[in-house]
Amino acid sequence: MRVAILGCGYVGLELGRQLEERGHEVIGVRRSADGLAAIEDAGFEAVQADVTDAPSLEDVPDVNAIVFAASSGGRGADAARDVYVEGLETAIRAFGERDHQPNRLVYTSSTGVHGDHDGEWVDEETSIEPTTEKTEVLAAAERIALERPPEYGDGFEGTVARFAGLYGPDRYRLERYLEGPVTEGYLNMVHRDDAAGAVRYLLEHDLARGDVVQVVDDEPASKWAFADWLAARCGLEAPEKRTKAERLETGDLSAAARRRILTAKRCSNARLRELGYEFEYPTYREGYESAITAYLENSPS
């Protein structure tokens, strides 16, 4: 199988490594020269192109599958719309109009599209209720990923892989929870290697065509419980805690930050498990072990 990863960044590089290790051919696509160097360092082919620029995508070879993992760089809703809506439309059209079109698209979305469910469980059947302009853009992109590919041929279908909060190498952020204060709420997480592994698994086994799959580990965690566990494992006192009301009373929050604090849900991975994916890091306990070891090795005795 030949796969093009459009926006081959944090998850994409790991996905490329996993696919290459299993004998597949991978083309990593980035718009910057620095991005190309990271792809080459990871050991697979790099092509410079921009998902918002159709002519540049002509440099990407024909492939069996495309993974759309491009990022808007943490900018606002307008930038997100340029990448996730306009860029996705452009990429689907650019590959769909080829004589040798792909037969799969996987679009990497976010569980943020669910919005607030007052701490209740959500799955792929739960209605999505985006609460910010950016998550509204992500919800629109999910519809595009599922609806547009078949317009270019019966064999071209999309899948939405809806990622929970990513963590892993360079993104453990231990200090945030060790130093506190920690505001109450839930953490829905997935290790980078499992985010990549799930997409790889769906591609290799040709699963979830025309469907949505939540990519989240086995155990949504209370932020307070997670922080206490992490502190204990690192040999520290439990950090200071605060309720949502206490955090909101500080008055130094943007409207978006307030919405994030008030949003609560627990994301189920039952569908991904039913499809047969086995997690390398089924919970944060396994996923944070290497980060804790490194922390203890670098801490003053």
Side-chain angles (χ1 to χ4, degrees), residues 203-278:
L203 288 173
E204 287 188 316
H205 295 273
D206 200 22
L207 297 170
R209 283 177 170 268
D211 208 351
V212 179
V213 178
Q214 295 200 149
V215 181
V216 57
D217 70 18
D218 289 347
E219 187 178 332
S222 155
K223 291 181 181 179
W224 287 358
F226 171 71
D228 285 353
W229 172 84
L230 190 61
R233 291 285 287 110
C234 292
L236 301 174
E237 294 292 327
E240 178 188 349
K241 315 292 194 309
R242 61 187 172 193
T243 65
K244 291 185 178 185
E246 288 169 338
R247 180 67 182 99
L248 293 172
E249 284 174 1
T250 62
D252 60 348
L253 297 167
S254 66
R258 290 179 64 87
R259 282 193 295 268
R260 282 195 297 272
I261 290 170
L262 292 170
T263 297
K265 59 186 176 292
R266 286 175 287 171
C267 298
S268 168
N269 68 5
R271 178 170 293 175
L272 183 57
R273 282 292 198 182
E274 288 167 3
L275 291 172
Y277 181 70
E278 295 292 335

Side-chain angles (χ1 to χ4, degrees), residues 10-11 109 163-168 171-173 188-196 215 288:
Y10 189 62
V11 174
S109 186
F163 290 166
L166 293 165
Y167 75 98
R171 291 197 187 183
Y172 287 107
R173 304 183 180 97
N188 295 280
M189 297 187 286
V190 65
H191 192 283
R192 177 205 64 184
D193 294 4
D194 280 312
V215 181
Y288 270 81

Side-chain angles (χ1 to χ4, degrees), residues 115-145:
D116 180 36
H117 287 268
D118 198 27
E120 296 299 316
W121 285 93
V122 299
D123 61 19
E124 292 84 354
E125 304 305 319
T126 306
S127 61
I128 59 175
E129 300 173 7
T131 56
T132 67
E133 285 186 81
K134 189 166 185 178
T135 52
E136 286 174 358
V137 169
L138 295 176
E142 288 192 357
R143 292 191 293 272
I144 291 167

